[in-house]
Amino acid sequence: MKKTHWLRNTLIVLIACGLAGIILSAIMFNQGSNRICASASIQFSFSGSENGVAPNGYRFDVSGITSDEVLNVALEASGLAGTYTAEQLRKNITVTGVYPEKIIDKMTKYISLLSSEADTQAAVMDYHATEYNVVIYNDFDEHIAPGKLTELLENIMTAYRAYFAKRYSANLNTTELITDLSGQDYIQQLEVIKAYIVQQGRYAQNMASMAPGFRAEQKSFGDIAVRYQNLQSDVDRLNATVLLNAISKDRNLLKERYTLEIRTQQYQLESLTEELKQIDELLGSYDKDGIIYVSTSGKLEEVGNDETGTYDKLVSRRGDVMAAITEAKAKITLYQGWLDEMTENANETSEGDQAEEPNGEETAQLQADTEAKIEALIAKKNAVTADFAAMLDAYKAQEINERTVPIKTAKIYQASLFSVEYAKLLIRTAGPICAVGFMVCLVLLIRSRRKEEKKI
Amino acid sequence: MDNNENKKDILQNDRQIQLVVNHAGEDDATIDLGNVFHNMKAKKRLFAWVLVLCLVIGICAPLLLYQFTKDPLTVSSVVTLRYEAPVKVMKEKTDGSGKKEWVVPDDPEYALVTDLSAPDGSALDVNQITSSYVLQTALNGMELSQPVTIAALRSNISIQTILTEDSQRTKEALAGLAESKDSEAYKRLQDAEIKYQNRFIVSLKNGFSNGDEDSRNKLEITDAELKALLDRILSVYNDYLVMTYTDAKLPSDTFSVIDIQELDVSDSVDQLRAGIQTLFDYCNAKTDTVKAYRSWQTGRSLADWMETLQTFKSVYVDTLFAKVNGNAVTRNKTMLLNNWRYQLRTAQNELDKVNESIAETKKILASYKNDEVIISMQDSDTARSTKAATKYYNELIIQQTENYKKAAELKTTIADYTDRITRMEEAKETAVSEETEAELEKAKALALEMYTGIRAHMEEVVSSPMFTTLEDHSAAQGKTENYLIASAKKIIIGIIAGIIIACGLWFMASLLPEFSKGRKAEGNGKEAAAK
C-alpha cells in the first residue's frame, strides 16, 4: 500500500475515533446533570472579620443568607414573591467559605506537635474565611430563565448585606419602656430617669472601648459617655434638692413607702443575723479530715484538710449571708436617711412657712420648679440619646457598606457543550478512543511495512 | 603497507561480535556489527513507527490504568467547639484509688470550652456525628446522584481528634519509654492525663459500597455533592448539639394570670411582686456572657433588663404596695385578714418542721463519729490516728445550712404577715378607688411589657450564634489530583519502557538476519565440506 494511503487511512481512523468520542461524551454529558446555577460571592473586610468578629463585637456566621427574612426580601425585589417560597429557595442554595490552598492543606493534615511545623499549624487552625461563595441551583424550577436566576441571586446578596448591617452592628431603640412618669412622685421620676441614663451611659462606654478611634462630626462614643455622666450628676443634684427640700406630691405616701421598706429590711436582717450565728456554730464544730505527713525529723504530723469542699461551701454560704446582711443594713440606712431628711425638712419648711408666707404657695412653687427641671432633664437626656443613636447609625454605615462588604456580581453557570466541564469530559472520553485508534493504525502500518520489506 | 594491513585487520576484528554457538565440536560463529547497524539503518523508517507506537502505548496505558485504579476523593473539615462549658476542678476519685480527676463542681463557673467537653461538662461523644439521626437528617435534605445508604456513609466517615501539646508530648514520651522498657517512668507517664483540643477533623471519603465492603463497584457522587454532604452532616450535628445541650427555656408568664377584678388589691400587688422576683431570678441565673449580650434590636442587655425590673418594682409596685397596706385598701377586710392568717399559720407550720429538722440534725452531728484512720511509719513504732469525714457527715452539714436558710426565709415571711395583720386590724378599712385600680392595671401592663421584652430578648439570645453555633466548621475541603499529574510518574516510566522496548525490537530485528545469515553460511560450509 502506498504511503499516502496509509496517511489517509490513519487520518480517517483518527477522525472516526474522535467523532465516536465526541458523540459518546455528548451523550454522557447530557445524561448527567443538566441544571444551571448562578454564583456570586460576598467578602467581609471590616476590622475583625479575619477573626470572625462582627462590628458589634460578637461572632458572626453567614447562615443568615438562607434566612426567611433575606429570601423573602429578595423574592419581593425580584417580583417572584407569589411564585416561589423561601423554603424552595433555601434547599437550593449553598454557601461555601473560600480557603487558600495552603491553609486547607494545613487545616486538614494532622501534624505532630513535636514537629517544627506545629506552631504554624496551631495558628492556621483558627483561620476564619472572609469570602463566601453563594450558589443557587435551578432545581426549584428547571424552566427559570438564567437572567432571572442571576437577578434573584443578586437580590439575595443585596438583601443579606442589609440584613448583616442590621443584625451585626450596634443599634439603639430610643423608645423607652416607662414613659408616663406623671403619676409618680419626683424622687421616683428621677429614679427612673437615672436608671435609663446609667444603662445608656454604660452602652456608650462599651462602644467607646470597642471603637475608640471612631468619630462622627468630630464626636466620639467617649464624648457621649461623658455627656451621660454629666446627666447623671444633674440627676443626683436634683435628687438632693428634692430630698433636702422634702419636695413631694404625696409626702405621706412616700413616708409610708420608706417606713415599710425599713420594716421589711429589718425583718430580713433579724432572720439573716440568726442564720449567720448558726452557720458560725456549724463552722466552729466542723470536723475536717486529718492529713498525716512525715516531717523531715521522721515524725508523723497532722493537719486539717477537706477534700470534699463542704467546709468551703459553708464558708461560701456564710459569705452570702454576710453580703445579704450588709445589703439590708445599707438599705435601712439609706431609707432611714431619706425618711429623716424628709421629716426634718418638712418640719423646718412648715415652721418657716408659718413665719414668712403661706405654705401652699411655696410648696407649689417648689413643685413647679422641680417639674420644670425634670422636664429639662428629660429633654437633655433625649437629645443625648438622639445623638447616640445617630452616632451608632454612622458607625454602622462606616463598618458595613459596599466597600467593606463587597458583593461580586452573580454569574450564570450553564453546562453546555462549550463549557470547560464538557471539554474535560471530552478529553477523558475521546482521548483514550483516539489513542487506541492511533495504535491500531500504527500496528497495521508496521505490518504492511514488514510485508513490503519481505517482498523486497 | 604492513602497518596499514594490520590496522585493517584490527578494524575488521573490532567490527565482529564473537558468537559462541553451543554445539560441541563446532567452530565459533561471528556476526558483523557493521552489518547489524546497516540493517538498523535500513529499518529505521519502520522502527520509527514502532517507537511512536511504543511511546503512545507507554503514555496511554498509565492513563487508562488511572481510570480504574484512581483513589476516591476525600474531603475534610475542621470542627471547632464554640460554647461555654463548666470549668472543671481537680478532685480525688471516689473509688479510693487515690488518683485525681477533673470534675464539674456543684456551683461551676462557665468559660469557653478548651477541650472536648460537652456544654454540660461531660465528655463529648464526637461519634454522634455518625449516628443514624445525624446521617439520616443530613441525607433527607439532599438530592444525591447516587443512592447512598446510612451504613455506607458511616463507613466512609473518619473523625480525628487532636491532642493538646502537653498530651502529645506525653504520648510521644510514652512511646519512647515503651521502646526503652523503662517500666517505672512508663507507669508514671501512664497515669498522666491525656487531653484533647476543642477541635477535631472530620473526613468523608468518596466511593460508597452499599453492600459488599470489598467490592470494587463503588458508588461515586460528584465532588461538589461530597463537599455539600459533609457540610450538611456537620450542620445537622451542630443542630443536634443545640437540641441536646442548650437550655433554651424561656421565662414563664406570671402576670397575665393576675385577675385584678377578682383578687383583692393587696393580693394582686403580692402576685405582681412575686412575678417580678421570679423574672429577676430567671435573669440572674443566666451566665455572665448571656447577661452581657446586647440585643441588636434594642441595644439592651439582660443586665439592663434586670435593672429596669428593679426600678419598676421600686417605683411602681412597692409604692403601690405601701399605698395599699398603709391605707388598708381592701375589697373585704375580713376575707383579707383570714387569708393572711392562713398564710401565717402555713408559714409557722413550715417553720416548726424546719426547726425540728434543725434540732434533729444538730443531735446527729453532735454524736456523729467520723471514720478513724491509723497511720504508722515503716520500720518505726511511731503511729498516729486521724479522722476522715464521711460522705454522710458532709451531707448532714449541707442539709443543715439549707435548713437554716429556709428557716430565715420563713421567719421573715412570718414577721411580715404578723406586721400586716396587726396593722390591718388597727387601721380603718379604705374602699378600693378607681385610681388604685387604674394604677394596678398600669403596673400589670408594664410588668407584662417587661416580660414580653425579656422573652423577646432571650429568644434573640437563643437564636444568636452564641446558642446556635455550638460547633464552627470550615468548609469541606479536598481536591482530586489532576489525572495527568496523578499518573505522571507512570507515564514517564511508560515512555522510558516504550523507548527501551522499541529500541530493543529494532536491534533484535536487525540482529536476526545476521544471525540467520551466519547459520546459512555455516550450513553451506558443512555442505561444501561434505562434498
Side-chain angles (χ1 to χ4, degrees), chain B residues 289-308:
Chain B
T289 319
V290 173
K291 278 183 201 164
Y293 175 86
R294 208 169 272 284
S295 162
W296 59 269
Q297 296 178 78
T298 61
R300 295 174 72 90
S301 65
L302 200 60
D304 289 345
W305 277 112
M306 286 164 73
E307 277 179 15
T308 309

Side-chain angles (χ1 to χ4, degrees), chain A residues 75-95:
Chain A
L75 281 170
E76 196 73 47
S78 311
L80 299 169
T83 321
Y84 311 115
T85 61
E87 191 55 42
Q88 278 178 303
L89 298 190
R90 191 177 296 120
K91 283 182 185 171
N92 294 289
I93 295 175
T94 60
V95 184

